[in-house]
Amino acid sequence: MIPDVDNDSIVYLNGDYVRLGDAKISVLDRGFIFGDGIYDVVPAYGGKPFRMDGHLARLERSLAAIDIKVDLKRADWEGIVQDLIARSGLGDCMVYIQVTRGVAKRDHGFPKGATPTVFCMVSPFVRPGAQVRQQGMSVVSMTDVRWLRCEIKSVSLLGNVLAKQHAVDNGVDEVIQFRDGYMSEGASCNIWMVKDGVLLAPPRSNLILEGIRYGLLEELAEAAGIPFNARPISQQEVDQADELMLSSATKELLPITTYNGKPVGSGKPGPVYAKLREGYDKAIAAL
């Protein structure tokens, strides 16, 4: 039994709803052997999925990018997400979706005739509290040494795991990664910068995983009259940022107030963050 896991919770596995404790997958599954699969996470507030279309569209893009074909349409995925939330009885929660290439003899090439493994589960989601919103997060910089297909939301997360452990080893909350001197992203989040009132982000490319909040923050910036520019951002610019912030499904939108041991701007959450945070909370409340 795994500590802190509800083995009686209901999960979806290959077309069936079963107890988590009863869900079994072969050790020859290519997700286990090769990390040959993709995943996504759909947040829900008060039992209502948030930006589900964006998450499922990214799920489909990732599946197509590694040529996994699943006999499930968009409506099927939506039904699974809604069904798991209803079965869980949870309000604020996260629905985790994972698809692997399936079970086959261990060989690097794609196997013929393998049936993809589809696994989905739901877990409670505790929103970031007032303290972290007011105090902000601490981060350090590091070199981005991951592979060059970061736009695929792959279950092969060793690079992200090592990045997160770098943050843990340095006693901070997160990292900001740099590839060839330009900002990419955190261990498991997108990074945003503000300079002279302009919101900046790395451009969409294979070097970052485009978070679903990427598009959301563009919308919120436009609604709040905040200029936005997606372009390469140098490490020197980050060093001189007026504000830094991060976004992800689990972290929502949070300010970064300490970077490499030094305060960012005033060392407190800035005015651009405050406007975006207000808009983010209104978007959730609109559910």
Side-chain angles (χ1 to χ4, degrees):
M1 181 176 293
I2 304 171
D4 301 324
V5 169
D6 181 4
N7 282 280
D8 289 325
S9 63
I10 300 301
V11 303
Y12 176 95
L13 180 61
N14 296 330
D16 296 320
Y17 289 94
V18 300
R19 287 180 62 254
L20 177 60
D22 295 330
K24 300 291 187 290
I25 296 173
S26 170
V27 294
L28 289 179
D29 191 279
R30 288 176 63 94
F32 177 69
I33 297 292
F34 291 117
D36 185 2
I38 60 91
Y39 77 102
D40 217 297
V41 181
V42 180
Y45 298 92
K48 297 179 179 178
F50 185 60
R51 310 287 287 198
M52 179 163 62
D53 284 348
H55 284 280
L56 295 181
R58 184 173 62 183
L59 175 78
E60 293 164 349
R61 289 197 303 271
S62 293
L63 285 169
I66 65 172
D67 197 25
I68 291 181
K69 296 178 176 62
V70 182
D71 190 23
L72 290 169
K73 307 299 183 185
R74 178 68 66 87
D76 298 319
W77 289 116
E78 292 173 351
I80 292 169
V81 170
Q82 298 278 16
D83 215 357
L84 280 171
I85 293 172
R87 289 170 182 265
S88 74
L90 296 172
D92 294 351
C93 58
M94 292 281 179
V95 179
Y96 176 86
I97 303 170
Q98 177 170 307
V99 184
T100 74
R101 203 172 303 277
V103 179
K105 177 183 176 182
R106 189 185 186 280
D107 186 35
H108 284 69
F110 292 174
K112 294 182 179 180
T115 301
T117 299
V118 180
F119 170 70
C120 309
M121 65 178 178
V122 61
S123 55
F125 170 42
V126 180
R127 298 185 62 188
Q131 183 175 354
V132 69
R133 290 192 190 193
Q134 295 167 3
Q135 295 183 358
M137 304 190 80
S138 59
V139 305
V140 293
S141 60
M142 67 174 291
T143 300
D144 190 342
V145 296
R146 299 169 301 160
W147 74 325
L148 296 176
R149 296 299 306 276
C150 295
E151 84 280 10
I152 299 171
K153 199 167 176 67
S154 165
V155 297
S156 304
L157 287 171
L158 182 58
N160 304 71
V161 168
L162 294 176
K164 180 61 177 181
Q165 189 58 40
H166 184 75
V168 172
D169 291 342
N170 283 274
V172 297
D173 301 303
E174 251 292 353
V175 299
I176 298 180
Q177 300 184 83
F178 293 88
R179 193 186 296 269
D180 299 326
Y182 289 91
M183 183 172 79
S184 54
E185 56 190 349
S188 57
C189 58
N190 289 134
I191 305 293
W192 304 80
M193 173 183 150
V194 176
K195 188 66 179 180
D196 297 328
V198 179
L199 180 66
L200 301 169
R204 293 173 171 89
S205 75
N206 64 298
L207 300 181
I208 67 168
L209 176 68
E210 180 189 340
I212 305 307
R213 268 121 291 275
Y214 194 114
L216 173 59
L217 261 66
E218 284 185 287
E219 296 172 15
L220 297 180
E222 181 178 5
I226 299 168
F228 171 73
N229 190 7
R231 63 166 177 79
I233 302 169
S234 71
Q235 191 159 0
Q236 183 178 9
E237 288 182 285
V238 177
D239 291 340
Q240 300 170 355
D242 296 332
E243 297 180 48
L244 293 171
M245 59 192 85
L246 57 81
S247 63
S248 75
T250 55
K251 299 180 180 71
E252 298 181 344
L253 176 67
L254 291 172
I256 295 170
T257 51
T258 303
Y259 172 59
N260 284 339
K262 298 180 180 179
V264 178
S266 66
K268 298 179 180 179
V272 172
Y273 164 76
K275 290 181 181 179
L276 293 173
R277 181 74 247 188
E278 181 182 5
Y280 198 111
D281 289 335
K282 286 182 178 178
I284 293 173
L287 289 172

